[in-house]
Protein backbone atom coordinates (compact mmCIF):
# COMPACT_ATOMS: atom_id res chain seq x y z
CA UNK A 1 0.00 0.00 0.00
CA UNK A 2 1.30 3.46 -0.85
CA UNK A 3 2.27 5.76 2.01
CA UNK A 4 -0.35 8.39 2.93
CA UNK A 5 0.66 11.74 1.42
CA UNK A 6 -0.01 15.19 2.84
CA UNK A 7 0.55 18.44 0.92
CA UNK A 8 1.61 21.35 3.11
CA UNK A 9 1.35 24.91 1.83
CA UNK A 10 4.16 26.80 3.53
CA UNK A 11 7.35 25.01 4.57
CA UNK A 12 8.20 26.88 7.76
CA UNK A 13 9.14 25.28 11.06
CA UNK A 14 5.53 24.23 11.67
CA UNK A 15 5.44 22.29 8.41
CA UNK A 16 8.84 20.82 9.17
CA UNK A 17 7.67 19.57 12.58
CA UNK A 18 4.52 18.11 10.97
CA UNK A 19 6.68 16.20 8.47
CA UNK A 20 8.95 14.97 11.28
CA UNK A 21 5.87 13.77 13.22
CA UNK A 22 4.77 11.95 10.06
CA UNK A 23 7.99 9.93 9.68
CA UNK A 24 7.22 7.16 12.23
CA UNK A 25 3.75 6.75 10.68
CA UNK A 26 5.12 6.59 7.11
CA UNK A 27 3.24 9.78 6.21
CA UNK A 28 5.02 11.58 3.36
CA UNK A 29 4.76 15.37 3.43
CA UNK A 30 5.20 17.39 0.23
CA UNK A 31 5.70 21.17 0.50
CA UNK A 32 4.95 24.30 -1.47
CA UNK A 33 6.90 27.41 -0.50
CA UNK A 34 8.47 30.47 -2.06
CA UNK A 35 11.94 29.60 -0.67
CA UNK A 36 13.89 26.48 -1.57
CA UNK A 37 15.83 26.52 1.71
CA UNK A 38 12.66 26.75 3.87
CA UNK A 39 12.79 24.50 7.00
CA UNK A 40 10.26 21.98 5.63
CA UNK A 41 12.18 21.59 2.37
CA UNK A 42 15.10 20.18 4.37
CA UNK A 43 13.03 17.16 5.47
CA UNK A 44 10.65 16.56 2.54
CA UNK A 45 10.21 17.30 -1.18
CA UNK A 46 9.48 20.96 -1.90
CA UNK A 47 7.98 22.75 -4.91
CA UNK A 48 9.12 26.37 -5.15
CA UNK A 49 6.43 28.81 -6.34
CA UNK A 50 4.13 31.55 -5.12
CA UNK A 51 1.54 30.20 -2.66
CA UNK A 52 -1.26 31.22 -5.04
CA UNK A 53 0.39 29.82 -8.19
CA UNK A 54 -2.53 27.88 -9.69
CA UNK A 55 -0.33 25.40 -11.60
CA UNK A 56 1.84 24.67 -8.57
CA UNK A 57 -1.20 24.18 -6.33
CA UNK A 58 -2.82 21.84 -8.87
CA UNK A 59 0.39 19.84 -9.22
CA UNK A 60 0.77 19.57 -5.43
CA UNK A 61 -2.89 18.56 -5.04
CA UNK A 62 -2.46 15.86 -7.70
CA UNK A 63 0.26 14.08 -5.73
CA UNK A 64 -1.29 14.05 -2.23
CA UNK A 65 -4.35 12.67 -0.36
CA UNK A 66 -5.07 15.83 1.60
CA UNK A 67 -3.84 19.44 1.67
CA UNK A 68 -3.11 21.57 4.72
CA UNK A 69 -1.07 24.72 5.45
CA UNK A 70 1.43 25.86 8.03
CA UNK A 71 0.90 29.62 7.70
CA UNK A 72 -2.16 31.81 7.74
CA UNK A 73 -1.38 34.15 4.88
CA UNK A 74 -2.27 31.66 2.16
CA UNK A 75 -4.44 33.28 -0.54
CA UNK A 76 -7.95 31.82 -0.11
CA UNK A 77 -8.95 31.80 -3.81
CA UNK A 78 -6.18 29.33 -4.71
CA UNK A 79 -7.14 27.07 -1.79
CA UNK A 80 -10.80 27.12 -2.76
CA UNK A 81 -9.93 26.14 -6.31
CA UNK A 82 -7.93 23.06 -5.32
CA UNK A 83 -10.50 22.13 -2.66
CA UNK A 84 -12.51 20.60 -5.55
CA UNK A 85 -9.56 18.37 -6.43
CA UNK A 86 -8.49 17.13 -2.98
CA UNK A 87 -9.76 17.74 0.59
CA UNK A 88 -8.30 20.86 2.23
CA UNK A 89 -8.19 20.81 6.05
CA UNK A 90 -8.72 23.01 7.99
CA UNK A 91 -11.43 24.34 5.68
CA UNK A 92 -10.59 27.50 3.67
CA UNK A 93 -13.62 29.38 5.16
CA UNK A 94 -12.18 29.17 8.66
CA UNK A 95 -8.79 30.35 7.38
CA UNK A 96 -10.53 33.33 5.76
CA UNK A 97 -11.96 34.36 9.17
CA UNK A 98 -8.56 34.01 10.86
CA UNK A 99 -6.89 36.21 8.22
CA UNK A 100 -9.03 39.22 9.04
CA UNK A 101 -8.94 40.55 12.61
CA UNK A 102 -12.33 42.20 12.24
CA UNK A 103 -14.02 39.02 10.94
CA UNK A 104 -12.26 37.07 13.68
CA UNK A 105 -13.46 39.37 16.47
CA UNK A 106 -17.01 39.40 15.07
CA UNK A 107 -17.00 35.63 14.90
CA UNK A 108 -15.94 35.40 18.55
CA UNK A 109 -18.72 37.81 19.54
CA UNK A 110 -21.31 35.96 17.46
CA UNK A 111 -20.40 32.72 19.27
CA UNK A 112 -20.67 34.41 22.67
CA UNK A 113 -16.89 34.36 23.24
CA UNK A 114 -15.80 37.56 25.05
CA UNK A 115 -13.10 39.78 23.51
CA UNK A 116 -11.56 43.17 24.28
CA UNK A 117 -13.76 46.07 23.14
CA UNK A 118 -12.87 47.09 19.59
CA UNK A 119 -13.77 49.61 16.89
CA UNK A 120 -13.17 49.13 13.15
CA UNK A 121 -10.92 51.82 11.65
CA UNK A 122 -11.27 52.42 7.92
CA UNK A 123 -10.07 55.99 7.70
CA UNK A 124 -8.48 58.67 9.83
CA UNK A 125 -11.81 60.08 10.98
CA UNK A 126 -12.51 56.79 12.83
CA UNK A 127 -9.51 57.31 15.13
CA UNK A 128 -11.08 59.92 17.42
CA UNK A 129 -14.25 57.88 17.75
CA UNK A 130 -12.20 54.81 18.60
CA UNK A 131 -10.30 56.62 21.36
CA UNK A 132 -13.53 58.06 22.79
CA UNK A 133 -15.13 54.62 22.88
CA UNK A 134 -12.11 52.68 24.15
CA UNK A 135 -10.11 55.11 26.31
CA UNK A 136 -6.28 55.19 26.39
CA UNK A 137 -4.07 53.40 25.60
CA UNK A 138 -5.44 52.13 22.29
CA UNK A 139 -3.95 49.15 20.47
CA UNK A 140 -4.17 49.68 16.72
CA UNK A 141 -3.82 46.53 14.61
CA UNK A 142 -3.86 46.02 10.85
CA UNK A 143 -6.90 43.99 9.89
CA UNK A 144 -4.83 41.73 7.68
CA UNK A 145 -1.27 40.39 7.45
CA UNK A 146 -0.19 41.19 11.00
CA UNK A 147 1.53 38.57 13.15
CA UNK A 148 3.92 38.27 16.10
CA UNK A 149 3.24 41.87 17.09
CA UNK A 150 4.02 43.15 13.59
CA UNK A 151 1.42 45.44 12.08
CA UNK A 152 0.34 46.90 15.42
CA UNK A 153 0.98 50.03 17.48
CA UNK A 154 0.11 51.02 21.04
CA UNK A 155 -0.96 54.67 21.24
CA UNK A 156 -1.18 56.78 24.42
CA UNK A 157 -2.73 59.89 22.88
CA UNK A 158 -4.29 61.28 19.69
CA UNK A 159 -0.96 62.30 18.17
CA UNK A 160 0.62 58.84 18.62
CA UNK A 161 -2.57 57.15 17.37
CA UNK A 162 -2.51 59.25 14.19
CA UNK A 163 1.21 58.50 13.81
CA UNK A 164 0.56 54.76 14.32
CA UNK A 165 -2.16 54.83 11.67
CA UNK A 166 0.26 56.41 9.19
CA UNK A 167 3.03 53.94 10.11
CA UNK A 168 0.60 51.08 9.41
CA UNK A 169 0.15 52.68 5.96
CA UNK A 170 -3.46 53.73 6.53
CA UNK A 171 -4.82 50.28 5.70
CA UNK A 172 -8.07 48.99 7.27
CA UNK A 173 -7.39 48.32 10.94
CA UNK A 174 -9.10 47.67 14.25
CA UNK A 175 -8.58 49.69 17.39
CA UNK A 176 -8.68 47.59 20.56
CA UNK A 177 -9.01 48.49 24.18
CA UNK A 178 -5.80 47.96 26.15
CA UNK A 179 -6.24 44.83 28.29
CA UNK A 180 -4.62 44.77 31.72
CA UNK A 181 -4.22 41.03 31.80
CA UNK A 182 -2.71 38.92 34.57
CA UNK A 183 -1.32 36.42 32.12
CA UNK A 184 -1.72 35.09 28.58
CA UNK A 185 -3.07 31.59 28.06
CA UNK A 186 -3.76 29.50 24.99
CA UNK A 187 -5.82 26.40 24.37
CA UNK A 188 -5.07 23.93 21.61
CA UNK A 189 -7.73 21.50 20.38
CA UNK A 190 -7.80 18.81 17.74
CA UNK A 191 -10.93 17.70 15.90
CA UNK A 192 -10.95 14.63 13.72
CA UNK A 193 -13.27 12.84 11.33
CA UNK A 194 -16.78 12.44 12.71
CA UNK A 195 -16.28 15.33 15.15
CA UNK A 196 -14.07 13.52 17.69
CA UNK A 197 -12.50 16.32 19.72
CA UNK A 198 -9.66 16.40 22.23
CA UNK A 199 -8.04 19.28 24.09
CA UNK A 200 -4.52 19.84 25.35
CA UNK A 201 -4.31 21.53 28.76
CA UNK A 202 -4.15 25.33 28.91
CA UNK A 203 -0.68 26.75 28.28
CA UNK A 204 0.67 29.90 29.91
CA UNK A 205 2.58 32.12 27.52
CA UNK A 206 5.02 34.99 27.95
CA UNK A 207 5.41 37.45 25.07
CA UNK A 208 8.05 40.10 24.43
CA UNK A 209 7.49 42.77 21.77
CA UNK A 210 4.36 40.90 20.68
CA UNK A 211 6.33 37.70 20.05
CA UNK A 212 6.09 34.44 22.01
CA UNK A 213 9.14 33.98 24.25
CA UNK A 214 8.21 31.03 26.46
CA UNK A 215 5.39 28.66 27.43
CA UNK A 216 4.73 26.63 30.57
CA UNK A 217 2.02 23.94 30.60
CA UNK A 218 -0.30 22.82 32.01
CA UNK A 219 -1.80 25.97 33.52
CA UNK A 220 -4.10 24.29 36.01
CA UNK A 221 -7.51 25.91 36.48
CA UNK A 222 -10.53 23.65 36.10
CA UNK A 223 -13.09 26.42 35.54
CA UNK A 224 -11.06 28.31 32.97
CA UNK A 225 -10.23 25.08 31.18
CA UNK A 226 -13.90 24.03 30.92
CA UNK A 227 -14.94 27.50 29.71
CA UNK A 228 -12.21 27.68 27.08
CA UNK A 229 -12.94 24.12 25.91
CA UNK A 230 -16.62 24.99 25.47
CA UNK A 231 -15.70 28.01 23.34
CA UNK A 232 -13.26 26.13 21.12
CA UNK A 233 -15.82 23.39 20.69
CA UNK A 234 -18.38 25.94 19.46
CA UNK A 235 -15.89 27.48 17.07
CA UNK A 236 -14.90 24.13 15.59
CA UNK A 237 -18.48 22.84 15.29
CA UNK A 238 -19.38 25.97 13.38
CA UNK A 239 -17.08 24.89 10.54
CA UNK A 240 -17.18 21.09 10.88
CA UNK A 241 -13.50 21.70 11.61
CA UNK A 242 -10.75 19.14 10.92
CA UNK A 243 -7.26 19.54 12.33
CA UNK A 244 -5.59 21.43 15.18
CA UNK A 245 -6.94 24.81 16.26
CA UNK A 246 -5.50 27.28 18.78
CA UNK A 247 -7.12 30.19 20.60
CA UNK A 248 -5.03 32.77 22.48
CA UNK A 249 -6.59 34.38 25.55
CA UNK A 250 -5.94 37.20 27.96
CA UNK A 251 -6.66 36.13 31.54
CA UNK A 252 -8.07 39.13 33.40
CA UNK A 253 -9.68 39.41 36.82
CA UNK A 254 -13.02 39.09 35.04
CA UNK A 255 -12.09 35.86 33.28
CA UNK A 256 -10.87 35.06 29.77
CA UNK A 257 -10.95 37.35 26.72
CA UNK A 258 -10.20 35.76 23.36
CA UNK A 259 -7.48 37.63 21.47
CA UNK A 260 -7.09 35.58 18.30
CA UNK A 261 -7.31 32.11 16.86
CA UNK A 262 -5.03 30.16 14.56
CA UNK A 263 -6.47 27.34 12.41
CA UNK A 264 -3.22 25.39 12.70
CA UNK A 265 -0.59 23.99 14.99
CA UNK A 266 0.85 26.72 17.20
CA UNK A 267 4.10 27.87 18.79
CA UNK A 268 2.51 27.59 22.25
CA UNK A 269 2.03 23.86 21.58
CA UNK A 270 5.64 22.98 20.77
CA UNK A 271 6.01 21.56 24.29
CA UNK A 272 3.61 18.75 23.27
CA UNK A 273 6.41 17.05 21.28
CA UNK A 274 8.10 15.85 24.45
CA UNK A 275 5.50 16.91 27.03
CA UNK A 276 2.28 15.23 25.87
CA UNK A 277 1.25 11.68 24.97
CA UNK A 278 0.77 12.76 21.34
CA UNK A 279 2.22 15.94 19.86
CA UNK A 280 0.04 18.61 18.25
CA UNK A 281 1.85 17.86 14.97
CA UNK A 282 1.03 14.15 14.97
CA UNK A 283 -2.56 14.87 15.99
CA UNK A 284 -2.97 17.38 13.17
CA UNK A 285 -1.87 14.69 10.69
CA UNK A 286 -4.14 12.09 12.31
CA UNK A 287 -7.11 14.50 12.16
CA UNK A 288 -6.72 15.52 8.52
CA UNK A 289 -6.05 11.93 7.41
CA UNK A 290 -9.21 10.75 9.19
CA UNK A 291 -7.32 8.58 11.70
CA UNK A 292 -8.14 8.13 15.40
CA UNK A 293 -6.73 10.98 17.48
CA UNK A 294 -3.91 10.41 19.97
CA UNK A 295 -4.15 11.09 23.70
CA UNK A 296 -3.52 14.76 24.56
CA UNK A 297 -2.70 14.19 28.25
CA UNK A 298 0.49 15.91 29.47
CA UNK A 299 3.44 13.84 30.67
CA UNK A 300 3.98 16.00 33.75
CA UNK A 301 4.90 19.68 33.38
CA UNK A 302 6.67 21.18 30.38
CA UNK A 303 8.39 24.45 29.55
CA UNK A 304 9.34 25.73 26.10
CA UNK A 305 11.67 28.63 25.31
CA UNK A 306 11.92 30.13 21.82
CA UNK A 307 15.30 30.77 20.23
CA UNK A 308 14.98 34.16 18.53
CA UNK A 309 17.36 35.97 16.18
CA UNK A 310 20.58 34.11 16.96
CA UNK A 311 21.36 30.48 17.80
CA UNK A 312 22.91 29.85 21.22
CA UNK A 313 26.06 27.79 21.61
CA UNK A 314 24.77 24.31 20.74
CA UNK A 315 27.15 22.41 23.03
CA UNK A 316 26.19 24.61 25.98
CA UNK A 317 22.47 24.00 25.47
CA UNK A 318 22.91 20.28 24.90
CA UNK A 319 25.02 20.04 28.06
CA UNK A 320 22.00 21.14 30.14
CA UNK A 321 20.38 18.06 31.61
CA UNK A 322 17.09 17.06 29.99
CA UNK A 323 16.97 19.97 27.53
CA UNK A 324 15.54 19.09 24.10
CA UNK A 325 16.87 21.40 21.41
CA UNK A 326 15.06 21.94 18.09
CA UNK A 327 16.97 23.80 15.37
CA UNK A 328 14.76 24.80 12.41
CA UNK A 329 17.68 25.14 9.97
CA UNK A 330 17.03 28.84 9.30
CA UNK A 331 19.42 31.71 8.60
CA UNK A 332 19.82 34.04 11.60
CA UNK A 333 18.00 37.37 11.38
CA UNK A 334 16.93 39.70 14.22
CA UNK A 335 13.80 38.39 16.00
CA UNK A 336 13.45 35.43 13.64
CA UNK A 337 12.26 32.17 15.23
CA UNK A 338 15.26 29.88 14.72
CA UNK A 339 14.45 27.07 17.12
CA UNK A 340 13.15 26.19 20.56
CA UNK A 341 14.08 24.21 23.67
CA UNK A 342 11.80 22.12 25.88
CA UNK A 343 12.21 20.64 29.36
CA UNK A 344 9.76 18.22 30.99
CA UNK A 345 9.55 17.48 34.72
CA UNK A 346 7.13 15.65 36.98
CA UNK A 347 7.27 18.55 39.47
CA UNK A 348 6.21 22.09 38.49
CA UNK A 349 8.41 23.94 40.99
CA UNK A 350 11.44 21.93 40.00
CA UNK A 351 10.62 22.61 36.33
CA UNK A 352 10.52 26.36 37.00
CA UNK A 353 13.85 26.10 38.80
CA UNK A 354 15.36 24.37 35.76
CA UNK A 355 13.74 26.85 33.39
CA UNK A 356 15.58 29.87 34.85
CA UNK A 357 19.11 28.87 33.71
CA UNK A 358 17.73 27.73 30.34
CA UNK A 359 16.01 31.09 29.84
CA UNK A 360 19.22 32.86 30.82
CA UNK A 361 21.29 30.82 28.33
CA UNK A 362 18.82 31.22 25.47
CA UNK A 363 17.86 34.79 26.38
CA UNK A 364 21.49 35.86 26.22
CA UNK A 365 21.58 34.93 22.53
CA UNK A 366 18.07 36.11 21.62
CA UNK A 367 18.21 39.19 19.39
P1 LIG B 1 -1.48 39.67 18.66
O1 LIG B 1 -0.72 39.91 17.41
O2 LIG B 1 -2.88 40.18 18.66
O3 LIG B 1 -1.37 38.24 19.12
O4 LIG B 1 -0.72 40.50 19.80
C1 LIG B 1 0.60 40.15 20.20
C2 LIG B 1 0.77 40.43 21.68
O5 LIG B 1 0.58 41.84 21.94
C3 LIG B 1 -0.23 39.73 22.57
O6 LIG B 1 0.15 38.41 22.82
C4 LIG B 1 -0.18 40.63 23.80
O7 LIG B 1 0.97 40.36 24.58
C5 LIG B 1 -0.07 42.02 23.19
N1 LIG B 1 -1.43 42.60 22.97
C6 LIG B 1 -2.18 42.45 21.85
N2 LIG B 1 -3.38 43.07 21.98
C7 LIG B 1 -3.39 43.63 23.22
C8 LIG B 1 -4.36 44.40 23.95
N3 LIG B 1 -5.55 44.73 23.43
N4 LIG B 1 -4.03 44.77 25.22
C9 LIG B 1 -2.83 44.45 25.77
N5 LIG B 1 -1.87 43.74 25.10
C10 LIG B 1 -2.14 43.32 23.85
Amino acid sequence: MANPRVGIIGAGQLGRMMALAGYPLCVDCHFLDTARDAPGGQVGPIRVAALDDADALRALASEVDVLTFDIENVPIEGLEQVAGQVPVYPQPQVLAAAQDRLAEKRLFRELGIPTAAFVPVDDESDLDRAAETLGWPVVLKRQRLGYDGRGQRVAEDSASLARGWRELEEVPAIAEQWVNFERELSLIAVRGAGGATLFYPLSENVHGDGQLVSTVAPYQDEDLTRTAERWLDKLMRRYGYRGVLTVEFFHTDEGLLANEFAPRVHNSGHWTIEGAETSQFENHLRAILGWPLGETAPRGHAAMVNVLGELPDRARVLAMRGVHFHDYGKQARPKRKLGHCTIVDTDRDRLLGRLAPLRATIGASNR
Side-chain angles (χ1 to χ4, degrees), residues 56-358:
L57 280 168
R58 255 197 310 274
L60 179 67
S62 72
E63 63 193 27
V64 299
D65 303 307
V66 58
L67 268 181
T68 190
F69 42 85
D70 91 331
I71 50 165
E72 269 154 69
N73 294 325
V74 179
I76 298 294
E77 298 73 25
L79 271 191
E80 281 176 338
Q81 270 162 21
V82 282
Q85 200 182 331
V86 71
V88 178
Y89 294 127
Q91 291 82 344
Q93 310 91 285
V94 69
L95 180 63
Q99 286 178 348
D100 181 320
R101 286 190 187 267
L102 185 58
E104 182 180 45
K105 285 270 188 311
R106 287 183 168 152
L107 175 63
F108 281 141
R109 289 290 179 95
E110 202 183 308
L111 295 170
I113 304 172
T115 69
F118 64 94
V119 172
V121 175
D122 291 315
D123 56 53
E124 200 163 350
S125 65
D126 293 326
L127 295 176
D128 287 342
R129 193 171 57 86
E132 254 168 52
T133 313
L134 304 171
W136 299 107
V138 165
V139 187
L140 189 68
K141 300 179 178 178
R142 275 173 185 262
Q143 255 174 51
R144 304 181 69 83
L145 300 176
Y147 66 99
D148 282 351
R150 284 175 234 201
Q152 56 179 274
R153 294 287 183 279
V154 180
E156 301 284 346
D157 53 36
S158 299
S160 64
L161 184 57
R163 195 169 53 243
W165 163 252
R166 284 193 298 275
E167 284 169 4
L168 297 184
E169 294 165 331
E170 306 185 12
V171 293
I174 63 168
E176 268 178 39
Q177 193 162 51
W178 177 259
V179 179
N180 252 329
F181 53 80
E182 288 167 39
R183 61 183 60 79
E184 295 189 76
L185 300 172
S186 58
L187 188 72
I188 299 179
V190 57
R191 192 170 190 272
T197 303
L198 292 175
F199 299 94
Y200 289 94
L202 280 171
S203 299
E204 179 171 3
N205 305 315
V206 174
H207 291 83
D209 287 336
Q211 210 177 9
L212 185 68
V213 174
S214 62
T215 296
V216 174
Y219 180 77
Q220 284 163 325
D221 183 315
E222 279 294 309
D223 289 348
L224 290 185
T225 302
R226 292 291 93 76
T227 304
E229 287 182 355
R230 201 161 33 79
W231 290 339
L232 265 77
D233 195 50
K234 267 195 200 174
L235 181 52
M236 292 188 298
R237 275 170 191 272
R238 166 65 155 266
Y239 293 95
Y241 196 87
R242 283 272 289 275
V244 164
L245 176 130
T246 309
V247 180
E248 292 183 70
F249 296 101
F250 299 127
H251 183 203
T252 72
D253 47 15
E254 281 156 41
L256 295 177
L257 297 177
N259 178 36
E260 61 180 1
F261 77 89
R264 54 168 172 78
V265 288
H266 195 258
N267 195 167
S268 67
H270 289 0
W271 64 267
T272 63
I273 297 175
E274 293 89 5
E277 289 295 333
T278 315
S279 79
Q280 59 166 351
F281 301 101
E282 180 177 330
N283 257 337
H284 185 71
L285 294 177
R286 289 183 183 220
I288 65 176
L289 286 164
W291 293 346
L293 304 179
E295 280 298 305
T296 49
R299 295 171 168 158
H301 297 266
M304 187 280 319
V305 182
N306 268 344
V307 173
L308 304 169
E310 203 171 301
L311 284 172
D313 179 66
R314 185 184 297 263
R316 222 175 131 198
V317 172
L318 294 178
M320 300 178 87
R321 193 176 55 84
V323 169
H324 301 269
F325 180 43
H326 297 252
D327 180 345
Y328 306 150
K330 286 158 93 170
Q331 294 296 324
R333 211 190 289 147
K335 300 190 83 179
R336 198 171 197 206
K337 289 178 182 170
L338 301 179
H340 73 266
C341 290
T342 304
I343 346 177
V344 182
D345 203 308
T346 49
D347 182 83
R348 185 179 153 88
D349 289 337
R350 196 169 51 212
L351 175 79
L352 297 180
R354 293 171 64 197
L355 176 59
L358 176 63

